[in-house]
């Protein structure tokens, strides 16, 4: 599942274990609930969304499920948005393009998201 998507939305950009990550949300319908999380690696010629999943897996002693990895990724994103440390950037109206390579339907609502989509993002 590779999808090219361009949009304008609020982006939270933050460092994560050597990666620079951007997080935003989209809505699956007209209610604008932000139930789809979009998380992408930026500012790297070599890192991809798969690096996020490998990083999430490395945080556990036993191999985690994809659901556990997705929740770990979402936890990092919501933490970054809430903390707003000096090394984080909040871009309230950023234009971006994403090459999204993985989509996970969560088995239950987590951090107000039903779906996590990951890949690479470019901020214009």
């Amino acid at each position: 599942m590779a999808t090219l998507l361009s949009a304008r939305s609020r982006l939270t950009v933050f460092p994560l274990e050597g990666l620079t990550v951007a997080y935003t949300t989209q809505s699956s319908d007209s209610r604008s609930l932000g139930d789809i999380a979009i998380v992408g690696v930026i500012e790297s010629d070599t890192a991809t969304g798969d690096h996020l999943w490998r990083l999430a897996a490395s945080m556990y002693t036993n191999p985690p499920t994809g659901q556990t990895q997705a929740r770990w990724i979402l936890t990092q994103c919501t933490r970054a948005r809430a903390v707003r440390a000096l090394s984080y950037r909040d871009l309230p109206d950023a234009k971006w393009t994403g090459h999204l390579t993985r989509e996970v339907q969560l088995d239950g609502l987590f951090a107000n998201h039903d779906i996590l989509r990951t890949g690479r993002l470019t901020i214009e």
Side-chain angles (χ1 to χ4, degrees), residues 17-66:
E17 299 291 326
L19 300 173
T20 303
V21 177
Y23 161 64
T24 191
T25 63
Q26 289 204 317
S27 299
S28 61
D29 61 28
S30 63
R31 296 176 294 165
S32 299
L33 298 175
D35 53 320
I36 302 170
I38 297 175
V39 183
V41 175
I42 64 169
E43 299 176 357
S44 173
D45 292 334
T46 57
T48 67
D50 289 339
H51 287 80
L52 293 169
W53 294 91
R54 286 195 293 274
L55 179 59
S58 75
M59 296 296 150
Y60 297 89
T61 305
N62 296 317
T65 66

Side-chain angles (χ1 to χ4, degrees), residues 20-124:
T20 303
V21 177
Y23 161 64
T24 191
T25 63
Q26 289 204 317
S27 299
S28 61
D29 61 28
S30 63
R31 296 176 294 165
S32 299
L33 298 175
D35 53 320
I36 302 170
I38 297 175
V39 183
V41 175
I42 64 169
E43 299 176 357
S44 173
D45 292 334
T46 57
T48 67
D50 289 339
H51 287 80
L52 293 169
W53 294 91
R54 286 195 293 274
L55 179 59
S58 75
M59 296 296 150
Y60 297 89
T61 305
N62 296 317
T65 66
Q67 293 289 313
T68 299
Q69 289 171 279
R71 287 190 295 271
W72 185 88
I73 292 167
L74 287 170
T75 298
Q76 305 318 304
C77 295
T78 56
R79 174 192 52 81
R81 189 162 275 184
V83 169
R84 293 191 181 196
L86 292 176
S87 59
Y88 299 11
R89 290 182 289 160
D90 187 46
L91 307 173
D93 189 33
K95 188 173 181 181
W96 55 269
T97 300
H99 183 256
L100 306 175
T101 54
R102 185 181 278 187
E103 178 175 303
V104 172
Q105 177 75 43
L106 299 167
D107 55 10
L109 192 65
F110 185 84
N112 201 45
H113 300 301
D114 289 318
I115 297 170
L116 171 61
R117 300 177 79 188
T118 60
R120 290 182 48 82
L121 263 63
T122 302
I123 303 171
E124 298 176 23

